Amino acid sequence: MDATKKPRLGVWKFASCDGCQLSLLDCEDELLAIAGAIDIAYFPEATRGEISGVYDLSLVEGSVTTAHDAERILDVRKRSKKLVTIGACATAGGIQALRNFADVREYAAIVYAHPEYIHTLAASTAIAEHVPVDFELRGCPINKGQLVDVVAAFLAGRRPNTPAHSVCIECKLKGNVCVMVARATPCLGPVTHAGCGALCPSYDRGCYGCFGPKETPNAPSLSVWLAGLGMDEKALERVYRSFNANAEPFRNESERHGAQDHKG
Amino acid sequence: MSERSIFREEGLQALIEALSRRGFRVIGPTIGDGAIIYDDVEALGDLPRGYTDEQEAGRYRLARRDDAALFGYAVGPQSWKRFLHQPLLRLWRAERKGQDVIVEAEPPATEKLAFLGVRACELHAIEIQDRVLIGGDYVDPHYESKREGAFIVAVNCGTAGGTCFCVSMNTGPRATRGFDLALTELTLEGGNGFLVEVGSPAGAELLAELPSRPASREEMDDGDAVVARTAASMGRAMPAEDIHALLMRNLDHERWDEVAQRCLSCANCTMVCPTCFCTSVEDHNDLSGAESSRTRRWDSCFTMDYSYIHGGSVRPGVASRYRQWMTHKLSTWFDQFGTSGCVGCGRCITWCPVGIDITEETRAISDSEKLLGAADGKS
């Protein structure tokens, strides 16, 4: 192997909207630098290329929703020296994991004229539930600055700068006034993983939890406060049930309120 | 009692202009994002005239006053820490040039800052950060450059907030030291005015340029009465006992687990605290590996990374993280720096998203001891 050979990059798509892959193309200023530093060997969204050999770095987007994909991810893992999952689908099952709370056959019967042609699994699951993952980059979609940092960190052999603390810290670094304390706007920031740069609170909106649960989240305590701001059990069931609905702390909290709601 | 002066609102406007003329960036209270924040002020019109704030645990609201006071509120979400000890700061950058690596340290900022409307608790907080960041063997050059050139106009509080407890921390509401000029807002014949106290030669020199006159005995008494009224209307109080010893006796108290049920470990309390000074560093490099840099940002003892060492975080549970913060702030700060780390500003109470109250947590531990003592006494 040529010593000056650049690391080979593969970008893989599973069940997803392609938004996170697009973040890579959206890098614009950095894209030439990325192309200069790594050999983009497989990236169907951007270039034609055959699957062949081993990839030094694989970026995996999307969740596993079919038996075929459950097989395919095993092959991707075998071909990848480092496997990094990108986005809420790949790290938590995505918005399509809402199926995990219902009967997917029922859905299929309502949506499709011939549901018998639909071969899908009962649940949408994160890549890490199928194969070992070296690093998970959160977000719906991922933050392109963080993506570039993850690639640069991989090349330099250092740790990526993607802290697992709350969105609140990002708000405070920016100087945002807390929307929940000052405006009684329900906000998931205190239980949500940083990375977006506190996008919604910077525009006077509460956080929607796009980056999933932060480290050691305390959703039950936040829910008590959200209830005080006027959210009923139904609203609490739904607030945790979006792009990261299948992430365990959000799923548990959502189901806790769902159970309450169905009882009441 | 030292001699004091009086100027009217025109005098305050003249003060802002005089500071600008001397090259200061004047920062003071103004309305932004539904709160009273600290930002650039160029004229009296930028100040929150006729506004006040309502503060409770986990709740802050702007409200109108029935007068035209310029400083009729307590402290807001931000503190002067934001300007002296910046949230994000590049420390150095390095560039690879052939076989060499050139490292360039970030030069300290040369900007001169003037703070308008610094409260007594905040003066104490600045004094505490001075001790931590420039008072020891290792001086932070960035903090030092901003701090040394800063001009401070203090304001004696005319209104206590619902979460204020400076009286019980002996840090207010009167500004006693650490300012160049200190103002007390008064209602005078024909409009608002300020009783002015000089705290430094630089303050005296500036005051000489402003349209002022000596204060009368009565006006000085009025100023004292404003501060006394504020002191008598504190929203909260820290229990009056030796907190340092109380907490050290109760490191295994069940209250730590109880508060951990409510605590979100979101770190808001540490971010808004005017004395919390912890930072972390992040290294960055470009894709080609030719350039790299190190950035410092505010960190918090509530994050897992903060106490991460080989093998994991030293404080994985929230109870241990809350205890670390509170015992450092109220207890071990004495051992480390000779004072309490708390100035009673109440920000951690107001800006906690679930309204955890440091005075209430302390009182719960204190009361449990008293109950236990009473029970022991009976048996």
Side-chain angles (χ1 to χ4, degrees), chain B residues 70-85:
Chain B
L70 289 168
F71 295 97
Y73 38 84
V75 294
Q78 298 167 348
S79 68
W80 307 99
K81 171 171 96 169
R82 173 154 214 93
F83 301 96
L84 294 171
H85 181 51

Side-chain angles (χ1 to χ4, degrees), chain B residues 137-217:
Chain B
D137 292 340
Y138 303 97
V139 170
D140 173 356
H142 302 283
Y143 182 90
E144 185 182 38
S145 70
K146 297 207 160 199
R147 181 65 184 94
E148 278 193 339
F151 189 95
I152 292 183
V153 182
V155 166
N156 289 319
C157 291
T159 303
T163 56
C164 287
F165 57 101
C166 64
V167 168
S168 58
M169 300 307 295
N170 293 318
T171 52
R174 177 190 293 284
T176 53
R177 58 176 190 265
F179 57 83
D180 294 295
L181 292 173
L183 314 179
T184 309
E185 193 164 21
L186 293 179
T187 308
L188 304 172
E189 294 268 328
N192 282 2
F194 296 92
L195 185 65
V196 190
E197 188 180 345
V198 169
S200 74
E205 191 203 319
L206 200 73
L207 180 62
E209 274 182 33
L210 309 177
S212 71
R213 61 165 171 82
S216 68
R217 177 75 251 169

Side-chain angles (χ1 to χ4, degrees), chain A residues 98-168:
Chain A
L98 287 176
R99 71 165 64 175
N100 304 6
F101 299 87
D103 184 348
V104 74
R105 284 169 307 177
E106 241 176 74
Y107 271 133
I110 294 166
V111 174
Y112 297 100
H114 287 281
E116 64 272 23
Y117 293 138
I118 305 297
H119 299 289
T120 191
L121 298 172
S124 169
T125 45
I127 300 298
E129 293 191 33
H130 299 266
V131 295
V133 166
D134 295 296
F135 186 77
E136 290 189 317
L137 182 61
R138 304 280 206 86
C140 182
I142 54 170
N143 173 315
K144 69 176 182 181
Q146 285 203 330
L147 178 63
V148 172
D149 189 72
V150 166
V151 174
F154 164 77
L155 292 168
R158 66 163 167 83
R159 185 183 176 200
N161 294 306
T162 55
H165 57 224
S166 67
V167 171
C168 301

Side-chain angles (χ1 to χ4, degrees), chain A residues 42 54 57-58 67 82 130 146 171 173 177 183 193 202 256 261:
Chain A
Y42 182 71
V54 171
L57 175 63
S58 277
K82 291 272 184 212
H130 299 266
Q146 285 203 330
C171 264
L173 294 179
V177 174
R183 295 174 191 267
H193 194 293
S202 301
R256 200 164 69 85
D261 189 52

Side-chain angles (χ1 to χ4, degrees), chain A residues 19-262:
Chain A
C20 292
Q21 293 185 57
L22 284 174
S23 300
L24 190 56
L25 293 177
D26 193 31
C27 284
E28 293 168 359
D29 294 346
E30 298 90 350
L31 194 57
L32 286 175
I34 292 172
I38 49 184
D39 170 19
I40 303 177
Y42 182 71
F43 188 7
E45 180 93 17
T47 61
R48 275 179 292 181
E50 295 296 313
I51 299 172
S52 68
V54 171
Y55 298 84
D56 295 290
L57 175 63
S58 277
L59 301 178
V60 178
E61 179 197 82
S63 67
V64 173
T65 57
T66 65
H68 173 249
D69 277 354
E71 286 294 316
R72 191 161 61 96
I73 189 61
L74 300 177
D75 182 55
V76 172
R77 177 68 266 190
K78 272 187 211 146
R79 292 175 179 279
S80 308
K81 288 187 184 165
K82 291 272 184 212
L83 191 156
V84 173
T85 51
I86 59 170
C89 299
T91 59
I95 190 80
Q96 60 274 25
L98 287 176
R99 71 165 64 175
N100 304 6
F101 299 87
D103 184 348
V104 74
R105 284 169 307 177
E106 241 176 74
Y107 271 133
I110 294 166
V111 174
Y112 297 100
H114 287 281
E116 64 272 23
Y117 293 138
I118 305 297
H119 299 289
T120 191
L121 298 172
S124 169
T125 45
I127 300 298
E129 293 191 33
H130 299 266
V131 295
V133 166
D134 295 296
F135 186 77
E136 290 189 317
L137 182 61
R138 304 280 206 86
C140 182
I142 54 170
N143 173 315
K144 69 176 182 181
Q146 285 203 330
L147 178 63
V148 172
D149 189 72
V150 166
V151 174
F154 164 77
L155 292 168
R158 66 163 167 83
R159 185 183 176 200
N161 294 306
T162 55
H165 57 224
S166 67
V167 171
C168 301
I169 290 185
E170 297 194 298
C171 264
K172 291 296 184 283
L173 294 179
K174 284 179 93 167
N176 289 347
V177 174
C178 179
V179 297
M180 197 150 81
V181 171
R183 295 174 191 267
T185 303
C187 179
L188 292 184
V191 296
T192 299
H193 194 293
C196 63
L199 192 55
C200 292
S202 301
Y203 292 93
D204 289 343
R205 303 292 295 267
C207 168
Y208 291 90
C210 304
F211 278 59
K214 76 171 191 76
E215 61 186 13
T216 64
N218 188 350
S221 171
L222 181 65
S223 295
V224 171
W225 206 262
L226 293 176
L229 295 180
M231 290 179 83
D232 60 14
E233 287 297 305
K234 189 73 196 165
L236 287 169
E237 179 187 7
R238 297 178 84 162
V239 74
Y240 296 101
R241 201 173 283 191
S242 58
F243 320 106
N244 290 278
N246 202 46
E248 198 184 341
F250 283 6
R251 188 183 64 222
N252 290 347
E253 187 60 10
S254 176
E255 285 180 331
R256 200 164 69 85
H257 294 283
Q260 293 289 319
D261 189 52
H262 298 142

